[in-house]
Amino acid sequence: MHPLIRSALGKGDPALSEYNSKLLLRAYGIPATRETLVQSPGEAAAAAEALGYPVVVKACSPRLMHKSEAGAVAVGIQNEADLLKAYDRISAAVAQPLEGMLIQEMVRGSRELVVGLTRDAQFGPCVMLGLGGVLTEVLNDTAFRVAPFDTVEALDMMGELRSHAILDNFRGQAPADRNLLAETLTAVGRMALENEAIAEIDINPLIIDAQGRLTAVDALIVLRG
Ligand code: ADP
Ligand code: MG
């Protein structure tokens, strides 16, 4: 069991926070946003300066699973004055103890994917690839594989999406890094196989930028109760 999971279970946490979820993703080779967990407005300003504006500010807690709904996300922060305002607004909106405030790079890209993992009583860990963003529910365009599977299977999975053309040269943007996406899909399956305590994984969204690079901008790892 990964130490991050052991520690969360020890504390009785229902999930890993976004920050810890992404630490685990990176440990499995999945690319995630550059980010810093901070404890004060002063630390937030220093972190944003180091990352470079624009940045995103989010409240970070293992008990905060739907951050937007809770008013805990501010994207596209352009300068220190706006950062401090967002910090205050989010602190006031989220009335619970936090692990800290997350300051992260703002990722630009019009193509959004979702990568998920659920456990099926019959089949075991099941990896899902779908379209992310506003169209997720409208399009209902998803592909599934039972883990473990190899990168050849993962490439097939991408081809099963009705909207797979967004992974190619798309509106003047470079093709998505399909090999890295394949590694990401197999790694998510491996994470569940190697960590029995993981109930669900939700990478939503995984953004594809104009250069075809992938970045997990949000991640949630839910633990078994
Ligand atoms: P939630 O817990 O509500 O799912 P997210 O972290 O996914 O919160 O943030 C909500 C939305 O804000 C995302 O779906 C994405 O569109 C946008 N967003 C979040 N973080 C970033 C980021 N680092 N760069 C660009 N967009 C982001
Ligand atoms: Mg999200």
Side-chain angles (χ1 to χ4, degrees):
M1 192 190 319
H2 195 280
L4 282 169
I5 294 178
R6 188 174 310 119
S7 150
L9 290 174
K11 287 184 280 183
D13 291 342
L16 299 185
S17 68
E18 176 176 339
Y19 182 74
N20 283 329
S21 295
K22 285 176 177 165
L23 286 181
L24 196 56
L25 294 190
R26 285 191 211 92
Y28 278 81
I30 300 170
T33 40
R34 292 184 298 129
E35 60 192 30
T36 310
L37 189 65
V38 303
Q39 304 298 336
S40 69
E43 282 181 24
E49 201 62 50
L51 286 167
Y53 287 97
V55 296
V56 175
V57 184
K58 299 178 188 175
C60 187
S61 160
R63 292 175 193 278
L64 197 57
M65 300 197 201
H66 304 287
K67 298 175 297 284
S68 305
E69 283 173 21
V73 179
V75 300
I77 302 288
Q78 299 288 351
N79 55 54
E80 186 169 322
D82 289 347
L83 173 73
L84 298 176
K85 270 186 236 159
Y87 194 105
D88 282 348
R89 180 179 61 67
I90 293 173
S91 306
V94 184
Q96 57 165 284
L98 297 178
E99 212 169 84
M101 207 68 90
L102 203 48
I103 312 299
Q104 62 189 215
E105 67 174 314
M106 173 88 195
V107 176
R108 292 173 198 288
S110 52
R111 297 172 288 178
E112 292 189 9
L113 300 174
V114 179
V115 175
L117 178 121
T118 50
R119 288 189 190 268
D120 182 89
Q122 204 176 346
F123 300 113
C126 208
V127 178
M128 185 271 285
L129 170 67
L131 243 42
V134 284
L135 296 176
T136 309
E137 270 135 57
V138 186
L139 294 178
N140 190 26
D141 190 5
T142 50
F144 292 87
R145 281 292 182 289
V146 174
F149 54 88
D150 61 16
T151 49
V152 175
E153 280 288 316
L155 290 164
D156 278 353
M157 213 177 152
M158 292 170 216
E160 284 172 18
L161 291 179
R162 274 180 276 115
S163 326
H164 62 80
I166 68 154
L167 301 175
D168 303 330
N169 253 314
F170 184 73
R171 299 198 178 164
Q173 304 173 64
D177 186 340
R178 281 183 188 252
N179 291 326
L180 186 53
L181 182 54
E183 299 289 350
T184 295
L185 293 165
T186 57
V188 163
R190 213 160 52 243
M191 278 169 77
L193 289 168
E194 291 174 3
N195 298 278
E196 274 298 313
I198 293 179
E200 282 173 39
I201 301 172
D202 192 25
I203 305 175
N204 184 6
L206 180 78
I207 294 183
I208 307 169
D209 71 15
Q211 288 75 43
R213 291 177 299 216
L214 308 177
T215 310
V217 311
D218 183 25
L220 172 64
I221 295 178
V222 181
L223 301 174
R224 296 215 241 197

